[in-house]
Amino acid sequence: MLSIDFDNTYARDLDGMYLPVQGAVAPDPALLWLNEPLAADLGLDPGALRGAEGVAMLTGSAMPMGATPLAMAYAGHQFGGFSPQLGDGRALLVGEVIDRHGQRRDIHLKGSGKTPFSRGGDGKAVLGPVLREVLISEAMQALGIPTTRALAATTTGETVWREAPGQGAVLARVAASHLRVGTFQFFYARQETARLKRLADYAIARHFPELTAGPDRYLDFYRAVIARQMDLVAAWMGVGFIHGVMNTDNCAISGETIDYGPCAFMDTFNPDTVYSSIDRQGRYAYGNQPVLARWNLARLGETLMPLIAPEDPAKALPQVQAALEEAETLHDAARRRVFGAKLGVSAPTDALIDGFLDILTAQSADFTQAFQALGRAASGDDTSLTGLLGADPRLSAWLEPWRGALDRPGAMARANPVYIPRNHKVEEALEAAQAGDLGKVHRLLAVIAEPYRRRAGFEDFEEPGTPAHYQTYCGT
Ligand code: AMP
Ligand code: MG
């Protein structure tokens, strides 16, 4: 029997901010992949999750006792344009559990069927994008970057039509919460200040309990969200991660990476890199991510002004602006920390960081390989670095100050992954999975589980694919 000890605060405390829903009944539900260590961490019995009731929950077909399935309301700026009503259109929150570390975590399904927020959509998801989220989010976790987790991937036995027929699938995802910048925007746009306040109080209690009693708690909350987002985006930059759809509805208050759609890890370094087929203007290009994160945070700031200065929201503007200026400083510091570790330098100048990255751009070097080569150069072997970047006349001029500043060579191996989920390896694994063979998905999961440790037999995962223009799709 599946028994889960839910404690559903969202359903209990935030009425009026969601709609109760039921998942679609899957005609032939099957479990494809279960994250057993995560299940154990959540206090769930993997054996029970594999059973009929477990699979019914993981597909959304039938809920266990104590679940309060609901679709959250949220709005969002998508590619800069505001949609006042998005919401969970193909997802539902099953409930919340307290994990082994005392942390509250949402169990949520993506692809579980239509909801009142579905608009024209079918509420479904297909196998490729579901497994893609499994692979990329597991990689992010192993890289040490805050992220939602994948608990399970199931198939529904249904054919779901996208550009071509696909296998219906559901991702069970775990998150610190599903509060987004867009959740705040939903109530701000409707001028529902009382609900906005309840939402903010809830978010503070859940994610920043230390701020609960403060006299300036809404401003403190804003600054705390900013700090987490700036750390997050700097961490993305450090591994070459491109989110692809940094809309405000995909920006989590918790500071976790959320909503893996057309995301990808960059191979050839270039700040202008865009992989998403729908990002035609390059709004969410690699190099734009820090600025776009701040843009999203500016939207959050607007929603908090009626709470920061209830008597006259406009009076909160200087404080919100100061917090956003601070965001830039926080990001720059986080960037120096992240790239400093990658360079083995504890206090790098921006010129040192940018100097190396400029050479990578000019030489169309592979981002991951270049930092591996730099690690070898730090231990005295320049061969691979010269092989990759030696054609650039600026290299020797850069190496000299770098060697002078190199004071933490030991940090490099923990900051520069050997393995990332390379685009061609992800595609290869997904293609095989769609044809019924999960072997390559399992192999890739094994490789990325320890991204910083080189292991024999995985040499092919260090190589970039053939340089063709890679494109990713939302798959919604
Ligand atoms: P996303 O691109 O996944 O961040 O989703 C943006 C919005 O579109 C959210 O409100 C989703 O719930 C909604 N959405 C995406 N795909 C579907 C679908 N197949 N059916 C219904 N709603 C969807
Ligand atoms: Mg989304």
Side-chain angles (χ1 to χ4, degrees):
M1 273 289 281
L2 181 66
S3 157
I4 295 180
D5 201 3
F6 289 111
D7 178 34
N8 300 334
T9 56
Y10 203 92
R12 209 159 58 223
D13 301 346
L14 298 181
D15 57 285
M17 306 195 200
Y18 62 82
L19 293 166
V21 292
Q22 293 297 323
V25 176
D28 185 17
L31 180 66
L32 275 193
W33 175 81
L34 178 67
N35 191 337
E36 295 214 1
L38 177 61
D41 216 36
L42 297 172
L44 306 179
D45 170 13
L49 285 176
R50 288 184 182 282
E53 286 176 32
V55 177
M57 176 186 84
L58 294 170
T59 52
S61 297
M63 289 290 130
M65 287 275 288
T68 51
L70 61 86
M72 291 182 181
Y74 56 84
H77 275 91
Q78 301 184 303
F79 293 93
F82 186 60
S83 295
Q85 186 174 308
L86 295 169
D88 286 332
R90 54 159 172 169
L92 62 82
L93 175 66
V94 176
E96 301 153 33
V97 296
I98 308 295
D99 72 12
R100 293 257 158 98
H101 314 284
Q103 298 297 314
R104 179 176 300 277
R105 295 171 87 178
D106 281 358
I107 300 177
H108 176 102
L109 305 177
K110 194 160 157 180
S112 49
K114 278 191 190 171
T115 77
F117 299 108
S118 297
R119 297 169 287 159
D122 61 3
K124 303 290 165 76
V126 284
L127 184 58
V130 164
L131 289 177
R132 196 159 208 289
E133 175 151 352
V134 168
L135 289 170
I136 309 288
S137 62
E138 281 299 286
M140 294 293 265
Q141 169 71 18
L143 287 163
I145 298 175
T147 177
T148 63
R149 302 292 307 276
L151 174 63
T154 48
T155 47
T156 60
E158 196 177 37
T159 299
V160 172
W161 283 84
R162 292 294 179 261
E163 296 83 31
Q167 299 168 63
V170 178
L171 175 78
R173 153 168 103 177
V174 172
S177 86
H178 283 80
L179 296 170
R180 310 144 187 270
V181 169
T183 321
F184 286 80
Q185 289 183 290
F186 184 89
F187 299 101
Y188 175 71
R190 297 158 68 112
Q191 303 188 328
E192 293 188 37
T193 309
R195 284 199 173 128
L196 200 58
K197 186 168 183 316
R198 259 203 298 150
L199 182 66
D201 287 336
Y202 177 87
I204 293 170
R206 186 157 174 177
H207 294 298
F208 307 97
E210 67 283 2
L211 304 180
T212 311
D216 299 319
R217 64 183 184 279
Y218 301 115
L219 182 62
D220 293 345
F221 165 64
Y222 185 43
R223 297 175 65 210
V225 174
I226 287 176
R228 285 196 192 170
Q229 281 293 327
M230 292 299 99
D231 279 348
L232 180 66
V233 80
W236 290 357
M237 302 300 279
V239 295
F241 177 74
I242 305 174
H243 184 286
V245 252
M246 288 177 68
N247 295 334
T248 56
D249 53 307
N250 294 336
C251 178
I253 297 300
S254 66
E256 290 180 339
T257 312
I258 194 167
D259 268 354
Y260 293 89
C263 59
F265 282 79
M266 183 173 50
D267 36 35
T268 305
F269 184 80
N270 189 314
D272 298 333
T273 304
V274 175
Y275 291 122
S276 168
S277 62
I278 56 168
D279 190 0
R280 297 209 174 81
Q281 314 287 320
R283 179 180 171 92
Y284 299 135
Y286 170 82
N288 286 353
Q289 296 186 118
V291 172
L292 265 297
R294 290 205 299 278
W295 192 90
N296 289 344
L297 291 163
R299 304 291 77 76
L300 177 65
E302 284 162 6
T303 74
L304 295 175
M305 285 168 57
L307 306 183
I308 294 170
E311 67 295 344
D312 179 6
K315 289 216 170 100
L317 194 60
Q319 288 158 295
V320 166
Q321 276 171 343
L324 278 171
E325 274 162 36
E326 192 183 47
E328 199 169 347
T329 313
L330 287 173
H331 170 265
D332 293 349
R335 179 181 193 254
R336 283 193 284 269
R337 241 179 0 256
V338 167
F339 279 88
K342 293 180 76 68
L343 295 172
V345 175
S346 51
T349 60
D350 290 336
L352 190 74
I353 299 170
D354 294 332
F356 190 62
L357 296 180
D358 287 346
I359 297 173
L360 298 197
T361 310
Q363 296 305 310
S364 302
D366 181 86
F367 184 59
T368 304
Q369 283 190 328
F371 278 96
Q372 284 299 313
L374 193 68
R376 280 182 220 112
S379 4
D381 174 9
D382 283 1
T383 344
S384 48
L385 192 68
T386 316
L388 274 177
L389 306 176
D392 200 302
R394 292 171 295 181
L395 183 66
S396 51
W398 183 84
L399 281 172
E400 204 182 291
W402 172 64
R403 285 200 201 284
L406 180 69
D407 59 350
R408 283 172 65 208
M412 296 176 79
R414 291 187 304 275
N416 294 318
V418 179
Y419 309 112
I420 52 161
R422 288 188 174 276
N423 301 325
H424 64 291
K425 288 294 187 187
V426 171
E427 292 307 324
E428 207 178 275
L430 297 183
E431 220 163 279
Q434 281 158 318
D437 174 10
L438 279 175
K440 287 184 171 160
V441 166
H442 287 295
R443 186 152 179 261
L444 186 49
L445 282 169
V447 173
I448 58 176
E450 291 186 76
Y452 298 105
R453 191 165 70 85
R454 181 171 280 107
R455 282 154 290 155
F458 293 149
E459 290 74 14
D460 51 326
F461 290 86
E462 290 190 54
E463 298 300 322
T466 37
H469 182 65
Y470 182 63
Q471 264 205 326
T472 54
Y473 301 89
C474 268
T476 56

